[in-house]
Each structure stands twice: as structure tokens, then as C-alpha cells.
Amino acid sequence: MTNEALAQYANLSLYSAMAVLTLAMVGYALYLAGLVPHRDRAAAAVRDQRAAREEALVGVGVPSAPVDVPAGAGTDVVTGTPDAAAPVVDEGEQVPARARKAAGIAGSLTWLGGFLLVVSAVLRGASVQRWPLGNMFEFAVVGAMFTILAFSIWSTRRDLRWLGLFVVAPVLLTLGLAITVWYTEAAELLPSLKSVWLAIHVTVATLATGLFAIAASATGIYLVKDAFERSGRRSVLDRFPDARAIERLAYGLHIVAFPLWTFTLIAGAIWARQAWGAYWNWDPKEVWTFVIWVVYAAYLHARATSGWSRQSANYIALAGWACIVINYTVVNVFFVSQHSYSGL
């Protein structure tokens, strides 16, 4: 029996979470935007210093001499001479106060958004007295909840302000699709879903997906930043951690998420044996779950093999995330299978 009042409160909490996370996204965007003029001012200071020095030397009739450039101002990649047009890059340099304040507010709002998603999931489950993972809408909400909570908890141990926009924005997109395209009224479960394995198998799958989502964002940033570093071009990404550090961060997330996905695959086979009488039925959902596992296993193997570059390995990781997206948005909706529980 469905409690319509609790279901409505769950939706209200979801809308509130989306509003809060929108403000958090704006805060993270302002943080990143605040880094750009900061670097421009540093570059202008170097150029002004050089111009003033040259004018002073010309004024007294002294031939031009090499200009002292602050450490970290950059060098010409061909001659090795200081590049005065390059901004000062001081790793210990403080971020502008307004940018720090915006990021601090965004972090607090992200925590609040995560709490509201927890409330929404709990109320949704209470409205039908079951685990809130019975259809695509509920899976999207719980997956977004795990993503936000994992990011927020991790932010207490590391400075992840630079990553915030690239985590919150995809979560908001997912929630927007959930409430508009994948929305399903709260209802009882299909008979085959009434099992303790729903809470075990699908919960672990959503947690793994949330971690893979954060890892995918970090991997994409690494590949872009690495390309900029190789080309010698400068951008706001210069204020992010070193490319190698970002890559190690993404790798660590994959190391945690991959065993969870492995457990998802095994638990799904056990549940299939109980529900349908066989561990493996070549169902489209089963096949794609295994494909995802294979792709991420290939990434981890490539990452640990000396013959593979880190760039190539990380492209495989992004392919794994693409497979997850296809599995959720295409296989769930358009493939006829024993896992047709989207509710659409």
C-alpha cells in the first residue's frame, strides 16, 4: 500500500536538493572563475615589471640586460630563457578570498544537498515500505545521493574544490532526467524483485556507479590538463593539482569502485539463480554488466602495465564510464530483457 503523502514529501525533498545543488554548482563555478583574473593580474605584474626595467635602462643609456623574472614565471621552451609573458605560478600562492568564500559556501550547500537526497530516498522507500531501488527513477536518485555523499566525505580529507563543478553538474543533470524523463509513481515491487538481494545487489551497484562517476570526472580533467601541459599552453587548469596527482586520484577511485562492481556481478548471478533458476541467462543487462567489468579490468591492467601510456589507459577508463551510461540509459529502456524494471 502506497502512502501518497510520504511520496509527495520525497519529491519535495528532491526538488529542494536540486535547488540547493544548483546554488552549489554556481559557487564552484565562481571559484573557478575567480582563478582566471588572479592569473591575469600576475601576468600583468610581470609584464609591467619588465617594461619598467627596460625603460629605466634605456633612459640612462645602458644596454638592455636580462630582466629578473620571479621564479615560476615560465621559460621559453626553445631557448630556455625566461618568458615574461607567462604568469607567475607559485604553488603556495593563496586563492583569491572571494573564490575561497564561494567554494566554502558551495561545499556546505553540497553537504545540504546530499542530506536532502538522503531524506528523499528514505521517504520514497517509506511511502511503499520497501527499499527505494525498484525502478530507474529511484536508482538515479540513490546513485546521485551516493555520488554527492562520497564527494563530500572525501572533501573533508582533501582539497577538492577544483573538482566540485564537475561532480555537481552531472549529478544535477541526472536528477533532472530522473524527475522529468524517468519519473515513476511510487508503487509496489514486481514479484521477482521482492528479495533481500535487491538491497544488496542494487545498493552496491549504485555505490559503485557513484564512485565511477567521480572517477570519470577526474579522468576527463586529467586528460585535458595533461594535453595543455604537453602543448605548453596555459589555462585555468594550471591552478589545479598536477596532472599526475589528478591521475593518481582517479586511479584510486577506480581501485575502490572495481571490487564493488565485481561484487555486483557476482551478487546478480546469485539472485538470478534464485529468481530464474540459472546463474547466467545471456540477458542484455547481464551482458552489459559483464562488458563494463571487462572494460574496467582492461583499464586497471593497462594502468599497471609498462607498455601502456597513462593517457591510453585513462581513455579506456572513460570507455568504461560510457558503457555504464549506455547500460543505464539505453539497455534499461530499449532492450527487452528479464531486467525490464525501468518503470517507463
Side-chain angles (χ1 to χ4, degrees):
M1 185 175 180
T2 303
N3 187 321
E4 294 296 339
L6 289 180
Q8 290 300 319
Y9 286 134
N11 290 343
L12 179 61
S13 181
L14 176 58
Y15 282 120
S16 300
M18 293 177 66
V20 169
L21 290 175
T22 299
L23 295 177
M25 181 181 67
V26 172
Y28 285 124
L30 291 174
Y31 169 74
L32 296 182
L35 301 181
V36 179
H38 183 63
R39 291 183 56 80
D40 290 343
R41 288 194 298 271
V46 173
R47 290 194 296 269
D48 291 345
Q49 179 185 5
R50 178 176 183 177
R53 180 69 177 273
E54 289 181 344
E55 288 177 2
L57 292 174
V58 171
V60 297
V62 178
S64 296
V67 181
D68 293 333
V69 180
T75 58
D76 184 274
V77 295
V78 177
T79 65
T81 57
D83 178 9
V88 178
V89 181
D90 181 4
E91 295 298 333
E93 194 174 12
Q94 293 296 317
V95 176
R98 290 184 179 179
R100 293 201 307 271
K101 184 176 181 180
I105 294 173
S108 298
L109 291 173
T110 303
W111 271 106
L112 177 58
F115 172 75
L116 290 171
L117 288 176
V118 172
V119 172
S120 178
V122 170
L123 290 177
R124 175 79 174 196
S127 69
V128 287
Q129 299 180 4
R130 61 169 173 80
W131 206 250
L133 287 170
N135 49 61
M136 283 183 66
F137 166 74
E138 294 171 359
F139 186 96
V141 172
V142 175
M145 177 193 77
F146 278 136
T147 304
I148 290 297
L149 291 180
F151 173 75
S152 297
I153 294 171
W154 198 17
S155 296
T156 63
R157 302 179 61 86
R158 301 189 61 161
D159 181 5
L160 298 177
R161 293 174 295 181
W162 54 274
L163 185 58
L165 176 64
F166 306 100
V167 171
V168 175
V171 165
L172 271 174
L173 175 61
T174 301
L175 292 176
L177 290 172
I179 203 67
T180 57
V181 180
W182 302 327
Y183 182 74
T184 304
E185 295 290 343
E188 291 294 323
L189 287 174
L190 295 175
S192 58
L193 289 179
K194 294 180 178 180
S195 169
V196 68
W197 285 104
L198 174 68
I200 300 172
H201 168 67
V202 187
T203 299
V204 175
T206 54
L207 177 57
T209 300
L211 294 176
F212 278 135
I214 302 174
S217 295
T219 299
I221 294 172
Y222 158 71
L223 290 170
V224 174
K225 181 173 173 61
D226 182 71
F228 271 98
E229 289 183 354
R230 289 172 175 271
S231 67
R233 292 176 294 171
R234 293 181 172 83
S235 69
V236 69
L237 296 177
D238 293 342
R239 297 288 291 168
F240 285 24
D242 178 77
R244 284 298 183 94
I246 297 176
E247 195 275 338
R248 288 193 298 269
L249 179 149
Y251 176 63
L253 282 169
H254 285 112
I255 287 293
V256 175
F258 182 72
L260 294 175
W261 194 260
T262 303
F263 177 83
T264 297
L265 188 63
I266 296 172
I270 296 172
W271 190 6
R273 177 68 175 82
Q274 293 183 356
W276 305 318
Y279 290 105
W280 191 263
N281 298 281
W282 292 103
D283 183 78
K285 192 74 173 178
E286 293 176 342
V287 172
W288 272 95
T289 301
F290 181 66
V291 168
I292 292 167
W293 185 89
V294 169
V295 174
Y296 277 114
Y299 155 71
L300 293 176
H301 174 73
R303 176 61 170 71
T305 303
S306 59
W308 283 78
S309 68
R310 295 201 176 188
Q311 293 79 12
S312 298
N314 279 276
Y315 279 117
I316 297 176
L318 288 185
W321 176 247
C323 289
I324 289 179
V325 173
I326 292 172
N327 184 38
Y328 188 71
T329 61
V330 177
V331 176
N332 276 358
V333 178
F334 299 105
F335 283 58
V336 177
S337 74
Q338 293 171 304
H339 289 79
S340 297
Y341 305 133
S342 66
L344 303 180

